[in-house]
Amino acid sequence: MHKLKFALLGSPPAFKKKLPVGQLYFPDWQRYESAMRGIFERRYYTNHGPLVQKFEAKLQEYLGVKHAICVTNATIGLIMAAEALELTRKVIVPAYTFIASVQSLSWAGLEPVFCDVDPHTHQMSVEKIEHILDENVTAIMGVNLWGGACDISKLQAFGSSHNLKLYFDSAHAFGCSIGTKKIGNFGELEVFSFHATKILSATEGGCVCTNDNLLAARLRNIRSSYGAGIPVPVVKTANGRMSEAQAAIALMSFEEFPKNQENNYHLFKLYKQYLQKIPGILLIEPKGVTFSNYQYVVCEVDKKIFGLSRDKLVMLLNAENIASRRYFYPPLHHLPQYNNGLQNKSLRLPVTEYLCESCMQLPIGQRVSEDAVKKICGIIERAYESRHQLISFFKGVHC
Ligand SMILES: *Cc1c(COP(=O)(O)O)cnc(C)c1O
């Protein structure tokens, strides 16, 4: 075999330090210090403090939504949402999503009914749910993926004609718009994640948005066992409060969102330019929105054309210190806890199953430069050119 220059085959890695896939926003140190000094001076750590209140007001204004209710993270936000909406029995949810979407249903004592997604947009659609509806389904959890959105107006019409509640996991969609309306205003409510990997970061954090006053009052009372605002009766309460330290970072990240979005858009276009030359690599563009946050770079690896499977390519990139990952994996309807004995084993969701075998995420965000994008795409291109030798290499190492 020729000497191939890949870290997996013994060459030095292309990057000295691991290049993350997520945004990983870090404010500059002086700003961080002064924000933390404020918290020290006020001697106020949590319980709906001044920074959380300021952040909620900014979100409401920016999103044009009546209520932005900040929480510890999106997972707890989704669990609180199920309780606030008083959902019962079964909820339709795509099997192609991050596991937290579905785990929130488990925590709320609800049963997920998995639907497939569209092969081109990766989003759920009415066509994928009509045939799985039964009398025990009370709601639909839409998931807006990759800085794009599902066909919300069709889902809304379908939901209301079948008397189903509709709400959204919009963890990927902060700042995105459909026409003049920002994501955050659709369905009964929407949940954003401000996890460190997301474009708007509170380190950990999230937010439930709604235009419904009663629902908002319920959510605020569920969020804290201390209660807050108008005391409406709720059965369960939790601790989903966002701390002042989280809100301090979130406020800085919010201020820099336009700059970070622009930078990601720029990097995304570079990826598009370089990747479109490589056979078998399909970059997924955010669909269904008029403005995207370009939070993630996701592509499909078509093994038949590219020569190597997604898993092999991810292995090759990881060795170069590029933290590419399979995303999402595994298909959620294959997990033992959602298998219901044999019931789901026979459940075929072909698009989800294909995407879970072929999609990978590449780095974008604050730590990624133009040069890094060029280098990453160069490695993928070389992997394609060397596919025959790499196939023999992988055969030799039996993986
Ligand atoms: C990140 C993410 C979540 C979970 O958000 P946390 O804030 O980490 O709890 C839920 N759903 C999707 C689709 C996500 O990407």
Side-chain angles (χ1 to χ4, degrees), residues 270-325:
L270 277 183
Y271 268 115
K272 185 175 165 180
Q273 182 192 329
Y274 297 130
L275 291 177
Q276 69 192 3
K277 296 182 293 198
I278 310 174
I281 301 290
L282 178 66
L283 177 68
I284 302 305
E285 302 217 34
K287 310 247 171 61
V289 291
T290 42
F291 181 84
S292 175
N293 55 20
Y294 292 95
Q295 177 171 290
Y296 289 141
V297 178
V298 172
C299 35
E300 285 175 30
V301 182
D302 186 336
K303 184 185 167 186
K304 281 194 234 96
I305 303 171
F306 186 73
L308 298 171
S309 67
R310 183 271 318 263
D311 288 358
K312 302 251 160 53
L313 181 56
V314 165
M315 211 188 284
L316 205 73
L317 294 171
N318 286 344
E320 305 289 353
N321 270 336
I322 301 160
S324 159
R325 58 173 177 173

Side-chain angles (χ1 to χ4, degrees), residues 126-353:
V126 169
E127 293 72 50
K128 302 285 181 188
I129 64 182
E130 278 163 327
H131 63 287
I132 54 171
L133 191 62
D134 69 34
E135 66 281 0
N136 287 317
V137 172
T138 63
I140 301 169
M141 184 201 298
V143 182
N144 293 311
L145 288 184
W146 315 148
C150 20
D151 193 338
I152 292 177
S153 53
K154 276 196 191 157
L155 281 174
Q156 219 137 17
F158 179 82
S160 50
S161 71
H162 292 87
N163 210 12
L164 303 171
K165 290 187 173 162
L166 174 67
Y167 67 117
F168 293 95
D169 175 343
S170 295
H172 292 186
F174 181 81
C176 302
S177 320
I178 301 176
T180 53
K181 220 170 171 184
K182 286 246 174 290
I183 301 264
N185 287 280
F186 296 95
E188 309 264 348
L189 59 82
E190 299 199 54
V191 180
F192 293 114
S193 169
F194 305 142
H195 182 259
T197 55
K198 273 50 176 196
I199 190 155
L200 178 53
S201 169
T203 66
E204 287 277 7
C207 174
V208 189
C209 290
T210 182
N211 285 306
D212 181 320
N213 295 338
L214 181 60
L215 199 50
R218 290 176 60 74
L219 284 161
R220 291 198 177 97
N221 281 279
I222 294 168
R223 173 171 59 181
S224 172
S225 297
Y226 297 123
I230 314 150
V232 293
V234 289
V235 178
K236 289 179 191 159
T237 60
N239 178 2
R241 293 184 297 268
M242 177 180 269
S243 77
E244 288 289 279
Q246 287 177 291
I249 300 270
L251 280 163
M252 291 182 267
S253 174
F254 178 74
E255 212 174 286
E256 294 189 58
F257 170 79
K259 191 184 81 188
N260 292 333
Q261 185 276 347
E262 228 167 86
N263 184 52
N264 280 8
Y265 182 40
H266 177 67
L267 297 174
F268 191 92
K269 283 188 290 189
L270 277 183
Y271 268 115
K272 185 175 165 180
Q273 182 192 329
Y274 297 130
L275 291 177
Q276 69 192 3
K277 296 182 293 198
I278 310 174
I281 301 290
L282 178 66
L283 177 68
I284 302 305
E285 302 217 34
K287 310 247 171 61
V289 291
T290 42
F291 181 84
S292 175
N293 55 20
Y294 292 95
Q295 177 171 290
Y296 289 141
V297 178
V298 172
C299 35
E300 285 175 30
V301 182
D302 186 336
K303 184 185 167 186
K304 281 194 234 96
I305 303 171
F306 186 73
L308 298 171
S309 67
R310 183 271 318 263
D311 288 358
K312 302 251 160 53
L313 181 56
V314 165
M315 211 188 284
L316 205 73
L317 294 171
N318 286 344
E320 305 289 353
N321 270 336
I322 301 160
S324 159
R325 58 173 177 173
R326 11 188 229 186
Y327 199 60
F328 304 104
Y329 187 86
L332 298 176
H333 60 297
H334 286 178
L335 287 174
Q337 65 266 44
Y338 296 122
N339 247 326
N340 296 341
L342 284 176
Q343 213 181 309
N344 275 349
K345 274 207 181 119
S346 53
L347 175 66
R348 290 297 322 269
L349 299 174
V351 181
T352 297
E353 286 155 28

Side-chain angles (χ1 to χ4, degrees), residues 345-362:
K345 274 207 181 119
S346 53
L347 175 66
R348 290 297 322 269
L349 299 174
V351 181
T352 297
E353 286 155 28
Y354 173 75
L355 296 179
C356 288
E357 286 304 310
S358 63
C359 280
M360 68 174 184
Q361 206 183 348
L362 293 171

